[in-house]
């Protein structure tokens, strides 16, 4: 076949050879224009031989190759030329697809005109395999780097050991931090020779993982090179690595978590005991109301000089001492009634400072440092005085040979943890502005096992008969009921620091409610509805009021009281009701009765804090509040005050 271009006499012999060659071949002039192409060249490039004539070599190359000069120059720059091995080049097929070819170029002269014989061998399959291999290699490199990054940045320790030799082959930074050793020190260890592994049970766990081929877990307590004691969760597994078996240890430091869990368990135990103590104290207060009232009435009816009067006065004094004990239990259980108001902590400290100096020996120095810019708090001043007094007395008892007690106040921002939150609405980790009262001593200090129990009720280190074990637990209850918490720190031979933290308030006033003057005239007249679920208390309240001239109607609970009120069109002069009762509590009863008689006056009696019923401060109760246990004179004074309208 003779396909020579017009104007050029190409020998038929050469064209026959080109067409017979089992490779794709094109002839091109010095300008790169194709003057002839065999059938295989057309098949390779997606053209017919005739369509290739007139195209240039540059037309067959991707744009990125043709920008630097002629097609011939591009080929030569790729390493083409006489005697030069074939080089790889990408060409563009007619359909736009790339085809990778091995190209060789040989010069040829025909009739004195220079030509280029360009041979093209399809190399697309091999090039694709090489490209895939390169991509797979790059992916493997990236995956290996990713694994190294994960191991290096993991927040838990990762150690890899050879199972046969026991030698450590890999240690990440977290493992170095936990162990207190450098990486090169860890890499020099053999796990079967590590003493702490044998003592803590880690070695047995590791050997189980090796023998079973399954993951093995254990929680161990280990000592680090820095002398720290850690609780560590260990997970062992075996993996085949580079033809050898490796033991992988993943170690998570649980020390902080276990410490917080222990604090939470103590807090839950304290809460359970507090609820029990508060409930017992409430019931006991009802009994003390009966004992105190009847002993008081008997004393009034017994003349001076009668030997029985002395016995009755002893009974009455014992009832008062028991009432003081129940107040401590209620304070511990956070059910004590607090006279809450906005107050200055510095004033409270100053008010007790003189008394404190009297109870301290001459060998003890009292150092008081008050922040003159201290913020205000909501609290009961008398209870806060008790807190300061108890802390100072405890500090004194820890310094039998003298020392220094320091009282400091200040404004601080604190981040409470979950066990320190006083209200469910608060969130752990949120900064809170608080007022700080710190009492520090230079006494004997406490070991950790004692410090962990200092706020437990009835726990004391004092000899029998010298302490009830309720001092610090009472303080704890008062502070918690006031919305704060206590932090304690101590070191044997150095001393103890107790830090009371109470929420700071910017402004506001909460007036406390008083039960009136017990010494005033408490007689009167009018009808009083007494609502009390305890039969003994109900009877003595009724008897005491009848003895002062009042007409009394009694009801065992709120439901019965409503029935009595509905049957009578005339409102009583006053309703005296317990706060906490079955079926209907006192606040609900007062609200229902005032729907009918809006001006009705109410006197509440309880030993519980009103938060137990309403979730708010005592001043939110819609009436006067009388605390149990009370005496007939105190009841009479409160009734007289309520009838005068101060509670209405």
């Amino acid at each position: 076949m003779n396909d020579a271009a017009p104007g050029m006499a190409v020998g038929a012999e050469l064209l026959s050879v080109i067409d017979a060659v089992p490779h794709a071949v094109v002839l091109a002039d010095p300008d790169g224009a194709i003057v002839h192409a065999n059938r295989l060249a057309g098949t390779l490039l997606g053209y017919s031989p005739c369509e290739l004539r007139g195209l240039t070599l540059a037309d067959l190359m991707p744009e990125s190759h043709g920008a630097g000069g002629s097609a011939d120059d591009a080929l030569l720059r790729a390493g083409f030329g006489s005697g030069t091995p074939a080089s790889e080049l990408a060409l563009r097929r007619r359909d736009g697809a790339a085809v990778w070819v091995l190209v060789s170029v040989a010069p040829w002269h025909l009739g004195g005109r220079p030509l280029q014989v360009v041979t093209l061998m399809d190399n697309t399959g091999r090039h694709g395999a090489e490209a895939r291999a390169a991509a797979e290699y790059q992916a493997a490199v990236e995956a290996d780097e990713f694994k190294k990054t994960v191991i290096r940045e993991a927040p838990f320790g990762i150690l890899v050991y050879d199972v046969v030799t026991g030698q450590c082959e890999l240690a990440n930074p977290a493992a170095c931090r936990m162990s207190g050793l450098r990486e090169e020190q860890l890499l020099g260890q053999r796990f079967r020779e590590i003493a702490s592994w044998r003592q803590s049970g880690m070695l047995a766990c590791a050997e189980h993982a090796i023998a079973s081929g399954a993951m093995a877990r254990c929680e161990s307590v280990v000592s680090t090179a820095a002398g720290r004691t850690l609780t560590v969760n260990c997970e062992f597994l075996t993996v085949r690595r580079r033809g050898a078996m490796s033991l992988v240890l993943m170690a998570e430091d649980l020390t902080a978590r276990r410490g917080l869990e222990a604090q939470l368990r103590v807090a839950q135990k304290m809460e359970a005991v507090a609820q029990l103590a508060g409930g017992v104290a409430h019931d006991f207060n009802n009994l003390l109301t009966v004992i105190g009232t009847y002993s008081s009435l008997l004393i009034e009816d017994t003349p001076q000089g009668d030997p029985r009067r002395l016995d009755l006065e002893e009974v009455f004094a014992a009832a008062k001492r028991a009432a003081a004990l129940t107040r401590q239990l209620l304070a511990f259980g956070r059910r004590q009634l607090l006279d809450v108001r906005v107050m200055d902590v510095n004033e409270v400290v100053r008010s007790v400072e003189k008394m404190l100096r009297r109870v301290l020996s001459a060998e003890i120095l009292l150092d008081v440092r008050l922040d003159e810019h201290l913020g205000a708090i909501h609290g009961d001043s008398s209870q806060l005085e008790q807190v300061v007094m108890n802390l100072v007395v405890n500090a004194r008892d820890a310094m039998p040979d003298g020392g220094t007690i320091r009282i400091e106040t200040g404004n601080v921002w604190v981040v409470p943890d979950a066990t320190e939150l006083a209200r469910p609405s608060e969130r752990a980790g949120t900064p809170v502005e608080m007022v700080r009262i710190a009492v520090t001593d230079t006494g004997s200090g406490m070991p950790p096992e004692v410090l962990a129990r200092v706020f437990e009720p009835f726990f004391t280190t004092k000899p029998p008969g010298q302490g009830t074990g309720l001092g610090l637990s009472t303080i704890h209850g008062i502070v918690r009921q006031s919305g704060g918490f206590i932090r304690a720190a101590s070191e044997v031979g150095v001393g103890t620091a107790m830090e009371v933290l109470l929420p700071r308030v910017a402004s506001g006033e909460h007036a406390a409610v008083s039960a009136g003057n017990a010494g005033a005239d408490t007689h009167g007249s009018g009808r009083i509805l007494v609502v009390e679920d305890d039969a003994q208390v109900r009877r003595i309240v009724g008897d005491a009021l009848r003895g002062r001239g009042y007409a009394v109607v009694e009801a065992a609970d709120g439901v019965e009281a409503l029935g009595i009120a509905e049957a009578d069109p005339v409102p009583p002069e006053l309703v005296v009701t317990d706060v906490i009762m079955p079926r209907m509590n006192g606040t609900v009863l007062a609200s229902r009765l005032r729907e009918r008689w809006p001006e009705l006056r109410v006197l509440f009696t309880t030993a519980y804090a009103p938060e137990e019923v309403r979730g708010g401060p005592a001043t939110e109760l819609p009436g006067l509040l009388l605390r149990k246990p009370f005496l007939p004179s105190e009841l009479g004074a409160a009734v007289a005050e309520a009838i005068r309208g101060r509670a209405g």
Side-chain angles (χ1 to χ4, degrees), residues 67-414:
S70 69
D72 187 50
D73 291 338
L75 292 173
L76 293 176
R77 284 197 305 272
F80 306 148
S82 179
T84 303
S87 299
E88 189 176 52
L89 187 69
L91 298 179
R92 185 178 63 231
R93 289 172 50 87
R94 183 175 186 176
D95 59 10
V99 58
W100 287 89
V101 294
L102 291 175
V103 182
S104 61
V105 180
W108 190 267
H109 290 79
L110 184 62
R113 187 180 181 92
L115 295 173
Q116 298 180 84
V117 179
V118 183
T119 303
L120 309 173
M121 295 181 64
D122 188 0
N123 198 41
T124 304
R126 179 180 176 185
H127 178 85
E130 291 174 350
R132 285 192 298 273
E136 290 171 358
Y137 174 77
Q138 182 62 29
V141 170
E142 291 177 356
D144 187 58
E145 184 60 32
F146 174 75
K147 293 174 185 176
K148 290 179 179 178
T149 301
V150 170
I151 292 172
R152 184 175 61 250
E153 301 300 330
F156 50 86
I158 299 177
L159 295 159
V160 179
Y161 298 87
D162 182 274
V163 168
V164 177
T165 66
Q167 184 80 30
C168 181
E169 300 175 333
L170 183 149
N172 73 342
C176 297
R177 289 193 298 271
M178 289 174 62
S179 65
L181 297 174
R182 298 188 303 276
E183 182 180 6
E184 58 268 24
Q185 291 175 304
L186 286 172
L187 294 178
Q189 291 184 336
R190 299 177 186 272
F191 72 85
R192 293 185 177 91
E193 300 173 1
I194 302 174
S196 62
W197 280 43
R198 291 194 302 272
Q199 296 164 359
S200 64
M202 289 174 60
L203 182 58
C205 188
E207 296 291 8
H208 176 72
I210 295 170
S212 66
M215 179 178 286
R217 295 182 175 87
C218 63
E219 185 171 308
S220 304
V221 177
V222 297
S223 297
T224 70
R228 297 173 59 212
T229 300
L230 303 181
T231 301
V232 182
N233 178 56
C234 302
E235 296 186 356
F236 293 95
L237 70 156
T238 54
V239 294
R240 187 165 292 281
R241 181 169 167 262
R242 294 197 292 267
M245 190 65 70
S246 295
L247 174 70
V248 180
L249 164 62
M250 292 173 286
E252 181 184 6
D253 185 358
L254 301 179
T255 308
R257 185 191 305 175
R258 293 293 180 259
L260 188 59
E261 289 172 353
Q263 292 179 28
L264 184 59
R265 285 193 295 271
V266 171
Q268 290 172 336
K269 181 173 69 173
M270 292 276 286
E271 184 66 27
V273 175
Q275 291 181 1
L276 175 61
V280 169
H282 175 264
D283 293 340
F284 194 46
N285 264 335
N286 283 337
L287 297 175
L288 290 176
T289 300
V290 176
I291 295 169
T293 298
Y294 281 126
S295 60
S296 175
L297 292 174
L298 288 171
I299 289 171
E300 291 176 4
D301 294 338
T302 304
Q304 293 285 349
D306 190 325
R308 292 176 300 176
R309 185 181 178 98
L310 293 176
D311 295 337
L312 291 171
E313 288 174 348
E314 284 297 323
V315 173
F316 184 71
K320 291 180 67 175
R321 288 194 299 271
L325 180 60
T326 59
R327 281 195 295 272
Q328 282 189 294
L329 290 173
L330 287 168
F332 167 66
R334 302 198 294 279
R335 293 181 172 184
Q336 187 178 26
L337 293 168
L338 299 181
D339 187 8
V340 178
R341 65 184 71 198
V342 174
M343 65 177 181
D344 182 351
V345 171
N346 284 347
E347 289 299 320
V348 173
V349 175
R350 291 190 187 102
S351 68
V352 298
E353 182 179 354
K354 187 177 296 184
M355 184 188 308
L356 290 173
R357 293 188 186 278
R358 286 199 296 268
V359 301
L360 299 178
S361 66
E363 292 80 14
I364 296 178
L365 172 66
L366 180 62
D367 181 14
V368 179
R369 302 183 182 187
L370 305 181
D371 184 348
E372 295 305 323
H373 302 287
L374 192 67
I377 67 165
H378 276 137
D380 184 323
S381 60
S382 64
Q383 296 299 317
L384 189 57
E385 288 175 2
Q386 181 182 350
V387 168
V388 176
M389 287 283 293
N390 280 16
L391 290 177
V392 171
V393 169
N394 277 1
R396 178 202 65 186
D397 294 344
M399 299 187 298
D401 299 324
T404 300
I405 298 175
R406 177 177 296 164
I407 304 176
E408 293 179 278
T409 62
N411 301 311
V412 292
W413 283 91
V414 180

Side-chain angles (χ1 to χ4, degrees), residues 586-603:
T587 53
V588 174
L589 171 63
S591 176
R592 295 283 297 275
L593 290 175
R594 280 179 172 164
E595 290 175 2
R596 184 177 182 188
W597 300 307
E599 301 302 320
L600 182 67
R601 293 159 184 165
V602 180
L603 171 63

Side-chain angles (χ1 to χ4, degrees), residues 525 527-531 571-577 589-591 593-594 597-604 622-624 638-648:
S525 61
R527 190 162 55 90
I528 297 178
L529 175 58
V530 174
V531 189
E573 189 80 11
L574 177 70
V575 174
V576 179
T577 178
L589 171 63
S591 176
L593 290 175
R594 280 179 172 164
W597 300 307
E599 301 302 320
L600 182 67
R601 293 159 184 165
V602 180
L603 171 63
F604 293 96
L624 194 68
V639 167
E641 187 172 353
I643 289 176
R644 284 197 301 269
R646 285 187 56 185

